[in-house]
Amino acid sequence: MAGIMTDELFTRFSELFYSFSGIKLKEYKKYLMEYRLSKFVGEYRPYQTYEEFYQALLHDRTGKLKKQFVEVLTTNYTYFFRESVHFDFLAHYLKEYVPSNDYIRLWSAGCASGEEAYTMAIVALETIPSIHQYDFKILATDISHAVLQVALQGVYHYSKLKNMDDALIRKYFDFDEVKKTFTVKESVKKLIAFRYLNLMDNFPFSKQFDVVFLRNVLIYFDNREKEYILRKIYDYMKPGGYLILGLSESLVGLQTPFVSLKNSIYRREE
Ligand SMILES: C[S@@+](CC[C@H](N)C(=O)[O-])C[C@H]1O[C@@H](n2cnc3c(N)ncnc32)[C@H](O)[C@@H]1O
């Protein structure tokens, strides 16, 4: 018997999660947390009750359990060419700006398992086949080590590629006949650096970004935290650079210096 997740315990787990990740689980339902944490708690599991698991988290000296806890509670759903209007926009941007700029930097902030960053790289190669000759790089960051591991491997099932034409898939992936998986080719991989980064922490960047994809990530934060993150991102963008949110997201109601364009695209003024 795993014990029950009381409201009080739910609050304590939420607070603990917040202290580890900076993410508030305010829209999270208790049953969802209970379901996700049931991986750790119950008969034949490492902990008999939720309380016992909570105590173990508090006293986790190696940080291993904390890491697993953060990972099961974050949502990492994503796929290639998700909300494709943003990649059309990126293609236009690159066509115009790559040839005339010293350097171009793109950032997939909250990249999950890497599909967004790889799509950015594929778009860059399709738009400017000689992109490797330019000072062009994509940074892809996330708070979850587990998803970053998947991203680094770059091996996906077809379900993640459904938005892509067959010709494009053949061009940029190697198909494994036995495992039925698709591996991103080296020419795409080498345009991207995958790194751990908690958006609530200080940013360690030395260069400014041209385009930042921050899609389907702000949902995790309350308004004050959103404003804090957006301010920091703003400071690390080139004047005239673009910020892209998920299509269902906007900055309405937030105090930010960004100028709103269409399709959840924002701009840092020149
Ligand atoms: C739903 S995925 C979005 C993936 C991709 N951007 C897309 O739109 O398809 C949200 C990602 O944000 C990450 N995330 C949540 N809070 C974060 C934080 N504080 N710092 C960095 N990444 C965070 C999660 O781990 C998750 O992988």
Side-chain angles (χ1 to χ4, degrees), residues 61-194:
R61 269 185 284 121
T62 62
K64 208 171 142 203
L65 196 58
K66 278 182 195 163
K67 209 175 104 181
Q68 291 173 348
F69 174 64
V70 168
E71 262 144 31
V72 293
L73 292 183
T74 44
T75 307
N76 313 112
Y77 179 67
T78 182
Y79 50 91
F80 284 85
F81 283 88
R82 180 181 195 181
E83 300 176 347
S84 62
V85 63
H86 293 151
F87 297 103
D88 297 341
F89 175 84
L90 181 65
H92 280 113
Y93 181 89
L94 295 176
K95 203 174 226 152
E96 187 173 341
Y97 288 96
V98 170
S100 58
N101 270 265
D102 290 350
Y103 73 90
I104 297 282
R105 292 289 179 275
L106 309 181
W107 180 14
S108 167
C111 64
S113 37
E115 290 86 331
E116 181 176 84
Y118 284 127
T119 306
M120 290 156 89
I122 290 170
V123 167
L125 283 160
E126 282 295 288
T127 311
I128 302 179
S130 61
I131 195 81
H132 290 291
Q133 290 165 19
Y134 291 90
D135 185 356
F136 171 86
K137 285 193 187 113
I138 301 168
L139 173 71
T141 61
D142 204 280
I143 196 175
S144 162
H145 292 277
V147 289
L148 286 170
Q149 224 25 60
V150 176
L152 275 172
Q153 276 157 15
V155 182
Y156 300 96
H157 286 104
Y158 183 69
S159 60
K160 297 287 191 178
L161 302 169
K162 278 191 295 203
N163 266 8
M164 293 180 71
D165 289 342
D166 282 355
L168 213 56
I169 295 178
R170 270 197 298 277
K171 195 164 163 188
Y172 294 110
F173 294 83
D174 292 316
F175 181 58
D176 185 321
E177 297 275 356
V178 180
K179 295 185 187 144
K180 309 285 179 222
T181 54
F182 296 82
T183 302
V184 179
K185 288 191 177 167
E186 213 40 54
S187 58
V188 183
K189 277 188 173 170
K190 68 181 182 200
L191 293 173
I192 309 170
F194 287 102

